[in-house]
Amino acid sequence: MRLNQYVWILATAALFAACQQSGTRSSADTTAQTTSGDLQAPFSDEFYDSLKLTMTAYYQLSGALVKSDTLAADLAAVSLKQHLDSLPIARLGVDSARGSQLEVNAGDIAAELQGLLIEKGGLDARRESFNMVSEMMYDLVKATGLKGSTVYRQYCPMAFNDKGAYWLSDKAEILNPYFGDAMLTCGSVTDTLRFQ
């Protein structure tokens, strides 16, 4: 029994060290990419007020996964889906092709959240769904902007058996939703979107 604990501690330490080295290297490599100027957020305040509520629910979902709290993750996912369903995309005044693409994007995120809510696989399955939601949320925010906000795209190279995974944050500080306490600060900022 004691030998198994010792092996587990060594394996965890090795993974943590690998993550820290990878995160440091990634951070240094992407600094030039993340210091670009402010991006435009050209739509109405009504849309951005709604999108900010959506992002707040997304950040709550991420925070629940950081804490490994399944119930809080489910509640945040319900809130996020409701906010996505009520985004006033039709009132953006964009051409029909772009509007349709944004509607599809928001619908795909809502569908993934619905899958997360009926998932029986516990935290691991919710984290996999969160990975998909994060990718699509990044695309949505990048396409529409988020007036007066900064969104940090963060990456953990160790997630999902070293396949890696992204998430979004409103802070540069790394709080990893894929590992929780096991490797809380594993990751790096890979993109910073600052909107006027």
Side-chain angles (χ1 to χ4, degrees):
M1 178 84 172
R2 208 176 242 305
L3 180 61
N4 286 342
Q5 289 175 337
Y6 181 71
V7 170
W8 185 84
I9 290 169
L10 284 176
T12 302
L15 281 173
F16 184 74
C19 182
Q20 292 301 95
Q21 289 174 349
S22 178
T24 301
R25 190 170 48 252
S26 295
S27 181
D29 292 345
T30 60
T31 300
Q33 296 173 1
T34 62
T35 57
S36 60
D38 288 353
L39 301 169
Q40 294 299 310
F43 301 117
S44 70
D45 286 343
E46 174 194 12
F47 175 77
Y48 290 120
D49 290 345
S50 182
L51 186 57
K52 284 179 183 178
L53 292 173
T54 303
M55 290 304 295
T56 297
Y58 171 87
Y59 297 140
Q60 289 169 345
L61 175 57
S62 180
L65 293 173
V66 167
K67 293 177 184 173
S68 300
D69 187 337
T70 306
L71 177 60
D74 289 350
L75 292 173
V78 167
S79 177
L80 177 54
K81 183 180 181 319
Q82 289 172 341
H83 287 298
L84 279 163
D85 289 343
S86 66
L87 274 177
I89 294 174
R91 290 185 243 149
L92 287 180
V94 296
D95 64 74
S96 60
R98 186 171 181 203
S100 294
Q101 181 59 43
L102 292 171
E103 289 279 356
V104 166
N105 190 309
D108 288 348
I109 299 168
E112 188 65 37
L113 288 164
Q114 186 64 39
L116 180 149
L117 290 167
I118 60 172
E119 187 60 59
K120 301 293 184 212
L123 273 172
D124 290 338
R126 281 168 177 75
R127 285 174 168 147
E128 287 183 33
S129 290
F130 177 73
N131 181 36
M132 297 296 298
V133 167
S134 296
E135 293 288 338
M136 292 184 281
M137 287 296 294
Y138 176 73
D139 292 341
L140 180 66
V141 169
K142 201 165 181 185
T144 62
L146 187 57
K147 195 173 195 172
S149 299
T150 300
V151 178
Y152 299 93
R153 188 178 195 207
Q154 300 175 337
Y155 178 73
C156 173
M158 307 294 290
F160 306 116
N161 296 317
D162 296 333
K163 291 178 185 171
Y166 291 93
W167 73 96
L168 305 177
S169 179
D170 57 348
K171 300 171 188 67
E173 174 189 12
I174 302 295
L175 295 173
N176 190 323
Y178 298 110
F179 287 110
D181 286 343
M183 292 197 299
L184 186 62
T185 59
C186 179
S188 62
V189 174
T190 62
D191 195 7
T192 302
L193 304 174
R194 289 185 182 91
F195 297 101
Q196 294 181 359

